[in-house]
Amino acid sequence: MSTIPGLERPAPVPNELTKPFWDACNERRLVLQNCTACARLHYPPAPRCSQCGSPDNFEWKEVEGKGHIDVFMVIRDSRIRGFRSAQPINFAVITLDEDPGINFLSNLPGTPPGEVPMGAPVELIFEETSTGQLVHEWQVVS
Amino acid sequence: MVSDTSWMRNREGMGLWEHRGKVAVVGWGQSHMDRRWDGVTMDRSCGGLTKEACLKAIADAGLSLDDIDGLITSRETRAEQTWAPRPYFDPPYDTEDGLTYASADWIQRELGLKNVKYLKSDAPYIGPMMGLAAQAVGDGLCQTALVWYPMVNLEGRYGHNNPQNLNQEAPGATAFSLPWGYQNGAMFNNLVVFLQYCKKYGKSHDGLAPLCLNLRRNGLMTDWGYYSLHEPYQLTREDYLNGRVIEEPLVIYDCDRPVNTCAAFIFTTAERARDLRQKPVYVLNHAQNNGRGRSTMATLEEHQEAVASLARKMWEGSGLGASDVDIFNPYDGYLTFTQQFLEGFQWHGVKWGEAHDFYADDTRVEGPHPFLSSGGNNGTGRNRAVLFSDSIQQLRGTAGPRQVTVKADTALAGCNTPDSCGFMMFSKHPS
């Protein structure tokens, strides 16, 4: 389960497109679609390359899992049931160092709500959801 | 829900709109507005309010029911829930149709419209829906289109009844957003973009206060609006700054208030418009954006480019430029994204990063920069149609206490968000 007290994340349900991504998460690896024709990463997974439009040149590429905090806010009144018992909780946008055009969401486990160091480096971790599916998370590099 | 987007003007390089000045809006009707439907009064249900708005629009145009040959609407009523499992009522309120939306078939049946040859119930939302109506009339799919847009708000706390938010699982695309607390809708991503805006330009949330206060002021000059009807008092800067926090730094006064209402419009050919009751308000162009960002969250730069592209499409199709636009009514559902439209269209010369300074200037309807003379959704409740109806009223010269004192020959209006929207250019003159 999450290391954030009270948090019950909705568990991702893999489908045909996203199964390789979620399977890799369960192996504690972060893999992104890479269009080999365009050398362009995609996240979330897409049915075709956003640049060349082709679905035929995708490979799953493992990325290093280093990023930075772009912006953040604090969720205090979530509409999502599994978050209400964890409020207040951070909600941050993380840019990937390997390609800052790719961004991820994070609740920044280990960082007290509102005490987020803007621009700080973060590293990849994984947290378990109710179905056992791991999800990618980010924590501030101490 | 959206069947076809081939009619859209969503690409640059499409040239002058082929029906420029050949389509006009000749009627408008606005129903009563409540905070929520009470679940009892059928005249105030979605269907009841829709009938009211449609009949008002037809009467406003000086038309009869038999003149209507096109019906266009959207299922996107923001009800966020179905009426069921609550029990239905006697016909015609015996399905969701009429309670949480009002389809073209439902209105055709309820109003007894005999000459309809074009029905469309799947417009995405009001911005593109207005463009769809203009295009349909221009293309000859119908001559006189009745177009309506209900907004539905049922009992319960808004957003908390959305089934997606109650689910323990996150299927499909939500698997990449819900597990981190991202709530669907325009709020979260546009708040992220607003934070990026503040970081880039050194701005802060209190820079939105003058916009909020002026929208409430304009809204109080709109007699059918929510605040005129139900809470007729002005806000103060202190009210705004101390507003209940929704998501930091967004406060309650940044958010348009969900309401229960309907607006309707009549589109027809310029030729048919000549003999009707109202002065025609001509359509010079319509343009749409329906993209999304590259990754999980669209970024400030992506939104800025989206609006800049929308502006280029609008100028190209209408033959006008930024300095030609007298009335400007862009979407203000959350005050955090209105500035993207203001800066992207460079209305009154406002450049990137300058919107908050503009808001602090004189934007009253009596002044030189009557921005969002409608009062917007922030000032009248989330009906979205006010952006268009005020533009029409300003060009007709019938906006009453909101009538601007500057020239009002052209108007630009649209919604929803920078990356997903439909805008329309209106003019008193066909060319």
Side-chain angles (χ1 to χ4, degrees):
Chain A
M1 302 306 287
S2 173
T3 57
I4 298 174
L7 178 57
E8 297 176 24
R9 300 180 193 276
V13 180
N15 57 28
E16 187 179 357
L17 175 67
T18 65
K19 189 172 186 305
F21 177 88
W22 293 115
D23 285 348
C25 278
N26 285 339
E27 298 167 0
R28 297 183 180 272
R29 296 186 302 122
L30 182 62
V31 299
L32 305 185
Q33 286 171 312
N34 179 43
C35 177
T36 55
C38 303
R40 185 176 171 89
L41 294 173
H42 291 71
Y43 174 87
R48 55 187 61 81
C49 175
S50 59
Q51 190 151 293
C52 69
S54 172
D56 300 328
N57 302 310
F58 276 143
E59 63 174 9
W60 290 97
K61 179 180 179 183
E62 184 169 358
V63 295
E64 193 178 358
K66 304 287 184 193
H68 281 78
I69 299 171
D70 178 15
V71 294
F72 82 99
M73 54 189 171
V74 178
I75 297 173
R76 297 184 187 277
D77 187 16
S78 180
R79 298 170 183 176
I80 300 170
R81 179 186 283 164
F83 276 74
R84 290 180 206 158
S85 53
Q87 298 169 161
I89 184 171
N90 292 320
F91 177 91
V93 176
I94 306 297
T95 56
L96 184 70
D97 285 357
E98 286 174 62
D99 182 346
I102 298 292
N103 57 44
F104 301 88
L105 306 181
S106 174
N107 302 118
L108 296 174
T111 300
E115 297 178 24
V116 175
M118 286 272 281
V122 292
E123 62 188 5
L124 181 67
I125 61 171
F126 291 89
E127 292 213 326
E128 191 176 347
T129 61
S130 59
T131 60
Q133 172 67 53
L134 296 186
V135 297
H136 45 305
E137 253 296 5
W138 303 84
Q139 69 180 14
V140 175
V141 176
S142 55
Chain B
M1 191 183 291
V2 183
S3 60
D4 175 25
T5 57
S6 62
W7 59 270
M8 287 188 175
R9 294 181 57 78
N10 55 7
R11 302 185 311 279
E12 295 183 45
M14 296 180 77
L16 206 64
W17 184 40
E18 66 270 25
H19 304 308
R20 179 182 188 270
K22 297 174 186 167
V23 176
V25 180
V26 294
W28 163 62
Q30 177 67 49
S31 80
H32 180 75
M33 183 182 290
D34 286 312
R35 177 80 167 101
R36 294 183 175 86
W37 183 41
D38 62 11
V40 176
T41 313
M42 305 318 292
D43 287 349
R44 299 279 176 88
S45 67
C46 174
L49 294 172
T50 298
K51 284 195 283 186
E52 180 190 347
C54 289
L55 291 171
K56 281 182 175 176
I58 293 168
D60 182 56
L63 292 168
S64 74
L65 296 177
D66 290 345
D67 291 314
I68 304 299
D69 65 352
L71 299 176
I72 300 172
T73 190
S74 167
R75 282 282 295 270
E76 197 253 9
T77 63
R78 304 301 292 166
E80 286 223 322
Q81 54 181 308
T82 57
W83 178 253
R86 290 167 281 208
Y88 290 124
F89 304 88
D90 292 338
Y93 298 101
D94 52 345
T95 69
E96 293 297 321
D97 198 357
L99 294 177
T100 52
Y101 63 95
S103 71
D105 296 294
W106 195 90
I107 279 295
Q108 182 185 26
R109 203 166 51 241
E110 284 305 299
L111 296 187
L113 300 171
K114 298 172 188 150
N115 297 320
V116 174
K117 62 181 184 183
Y118 180 76
L119 294 90
K120 195 85 173 156
S121 295
D122 63 353
Y125 48 92
I126 190 169
M129 182 184 77
M130 298 295 270
L132 172 65
Q135 192 68 41
V137 170
D139 288 348
L141 299 174
C142 53
Q143 185 188 50
T144 303
L146 171 62
V147 184
W148 66 95
Y149 189 67
M151 288 271 91
V152 177
N153 195 24
L154 302 178
E155 186 183 354
R157 192 171 174 207
Y158 189 75
H160 288 247
N161 295 316
N162 187 332
Q164 183 186 80
N165 293 335
L166 306 177
N167 200 342
Q168 296 290 341
E169 296 188 329
T174 68
F176 295 88
S177 55
L178 269 181
W180 295 271
Y182 177 86
Q183 296 163 35
N184 264 358
M187 181 173 71
F188 257 52
N189 201 153
N190 285 284
L191 193 47
V192 164
V193 169
F194 179 73
L195 293 170
Q196 292 170 336
Y197 179 93
C198 290
K199 188 169 83 167
K200 180 171 182 177
Y201 297 111
K203 302 298 181 182
S204 56
H205 174 256
D206 57 2
L208 300 179
L211 173 63
C212 179
L213 301 191
N214 196 53
L215 290 177
R216 178 64 66 92
R217 181 176 186 268
N218 292 351
L220 290 173
M221 290 189 268
T222 305
D223 58 5
W224 52 264
Y226 177 80
Y227 294 102
S228 286
L229 289 173
H230 302 291
E231 297 181 17
Y233 55 85
Q234 174 61 307
L235 290 175
T236 67
R237 181 177 171 83
E238 287 67 36
D239 291 333
Y240 177 81
L241 296 178
N242 295 310
R244 177 165 64 86
V245 173
I246 302 300
E247 292 295 348
E248 286 181 348
L250 195 82
V251 299
I252 188 81
Y253 301 118
D254 293 311
C255 313
D256 56 0
R257 202 156 183 182
V259 294
N260 207 51
T261 192
C262 183
F265 301 89
I266 306 287
F267 284 73
T268 192
T269 61
E271 193 175 315
R272 179 79 174 92
R274 278 195 208 111
D275 303 325
L276 296 180
R277 177 178 294 160
Q278 303 290 348
K279 282 187 281 189
V281 173
Y282 297 95
V283 180
L284 296 190
N285 190 27
H286 63 88
Q288 294 77 31
N289 271 353
N290 46 8
R292 63 176 303 278
R294 178 184 169 195
S295 194
T296 319
M297 291 281 106
T299 65
L300 172 65
E301 286 71 24
E302 287 170 334
H303 273 202
Q304 288 182 326
E305 173 48 29
V307 180
S309 172
L310 181 71
R312 291 192 292 269
K313 286 180 276 195
M314 187 54 75
W315 308 146
E316 182 186 351
S318 67
L320 303 185
S323 61
D324 298 316
V325 177
D326 300 325
I327 304 298
F328 190 30
N329 277 310
Y331 192 42
D332 63 325
Y334 293 106
L335 294 189
T336 45
F337 55 64
T338 308
Q339 63 208 14
Q340 317 293 0
F341 293 117
L342 176 60
E343 296 173 0
F345 279 102
Q346 297 194 8
W347 193 65
H348 286 211
V350 178
K351 306 284 197 308
W352 301 123
E354 296 179 353
H356 292 197
D357 300 325
F358 176 83
Y359 294 159
D361 202 345
D362 184 1
T363 59
R364 297 173 306 132
V365 290
E366 303 92 332
H369 310 293
F371 182 57
L372 271 162
S373 49
S374 58
N377 298 265
N378 195 273
T380 62
R382 190 190 56 194
N383 63 94
R384 294 176 175 166
V386 71
L387 306 170
F388 299 96
S389 61
D390 175 74
S391 298
I392 292 161
Q393 284 189 302
Q394 295 288 354
L395 268 52
R396 284 179 176 179
T398 59
R402 291 189 336 277
Q403 187 67 45
V404 301
T405 57
V406 297
K407 183 162 68 78
D409 282 2
T410 61
L412 177 59
C415 66
N416 285 342
T417 56
D419 55 351
S420 180
C421 56
F423 273 64
M424 181 163 282
M425 182 76 79
F426 299 100
S427 173
K428 277 169 80 167
H429 311 290
S431 60

